[in-house]
Each structure stands twice: as structure tokens, then as C-alpha cells.
Amino acid sequence: MELSKNMETAINKQIQAESYSAYLYLAMAAYCDSVGMPGYAHWLREQCEEELAHAMKFYHYVVERGGRVVLEAIQQPPTDFGSLLSLAQEVYAHEQKVTGLIHALYDLAAAEKDYATQVFLQWYINEQVEEEDNARVIVEKFKMAGGHPNILFMLDQQLGARE
Ligand code: OFO
């Protein structure tokens, strides 16, 4: 059964959203590099790679279902994120937004009785639980660090160890 036009368009929009996530996290990495947080910059670059992998997983799925991938423009991300805490909060808020997008895709697949897409999207539903958890824990750590240089230094080293 081929992907419906509606589903194809919605997944193409999600490819754009995942690509924007990658671009946003790369912009955040550049900000961290500019304020002397190379460890968090590394963490965000790894996250950027993960987002590209999320986009590509959708790409291959559309192709596999006989659909047509159409890439839309990616908006420019911000350059200034105010502070490390507000940047971390923005990552968390962004992941919550993406979870909402994935759930909306799932609702559409369910409404269309597209069983294959529902099963496919379960991977993303689980992934978002992990993504939100990781982002939330980092927010808590920045709150605990409270701007103390020594703690921030250790936190940066910890974030820099991400593989
Ligand atoms: Fe693709 O999960 Fe983050 O955005």
C-alpha cells in the first residue's frame, strides 16, 4: 500500500522539522564554543548528528513506501541564546515541541488506518521520551551549577564525554 498524499506531505514536513532541529543545535553549539563551553558544544554537535539521522530515517521510509521526498526551506536559527541555562531550557522546550509533532503524525496515521506508519512512528515516540529526559536533566544540572565557574567547568567536561 502506497503512502497517502496527506501522509507523504506530513512526513516531508517532519523531515524539515528534524533538519531544523539539527541546524538549531549546531547554532547552539557555535554559541557554546563562543562562550568557552567546548564540552556542551560537543554534546550539541552530537545532537545535531542525531537529528540528521532522524531526518534520514524519515527520508528512507518515504522512499520505501513509494512516496516522493520533497525538501522545504530551513529557517535561520537564532545566534544568541542569552545564557547557558536559557539555552538548555530552549533545548528542552524544543524537544517537547517535536514530541507534539510526532504525536500529531501518529494521530494522522491512525486516522488514515496507515498501520505501517503507526508502527514506524513508535521508534520516534520512544526516542522522544529519551530526548526529553536528556534535555531536562541538563537543565537541572545548569540550575544546580548556579553559575559557579568550577561546577560549570566540571559539567562542561561531563557533557564533552558524550559519544
Ligand atoms: Fe529528532 O528529536 Fe530532537 O528534535
Side-chain angles (χ1 to χ4, degrees), residues 14 17-18 21 25 47 50-51 54 94-95 98 124 127-128 131:
Q14 192 61 28
E18 301 288 347
S21 296
Y25 294 145
Q47 192 59 33
E50 263 202 23
E51 298 303 346
H54 295 170
H94 185 72
E95 285 307 324
V98 172
Y124 286 89
E127 177 72 3
Q128 282 310 120
E131 296 274 83

Side-chain angles (χ1 to χ4, degrees), residues 100-154:
L101 296 176
I102 297 290
H103 291 177
L105 270 183
Y106 189 91
D107 286 344
L108 179 63
E112 291 201 350
K113 296 192 188 324
D114 181 342
Y115 302 110
T117 300
Q118 287 175 67
V119 171
F120 172 74
L121 286 170
Q122 299 217 334
W123 183 88
Y124 286 89
I125 291 170
N126 291 331
E127 177 72 3
Q128 282 310 120
V129 172
E130 199 186 308
E131 296 274 83
E132 281 193 36
D133 183 46
N134 290 339
R136 189 180 41 77
V137 166
I138 293 174
V139 169
E140 291 311 315
K141 285 183 176 172
F142 273 109
K143 278 188 185 162
M144 280 192 282
H148 292 292
N150 289 352
I151 305 179
L152 279 177
F153 178 76
M154 284 190 316

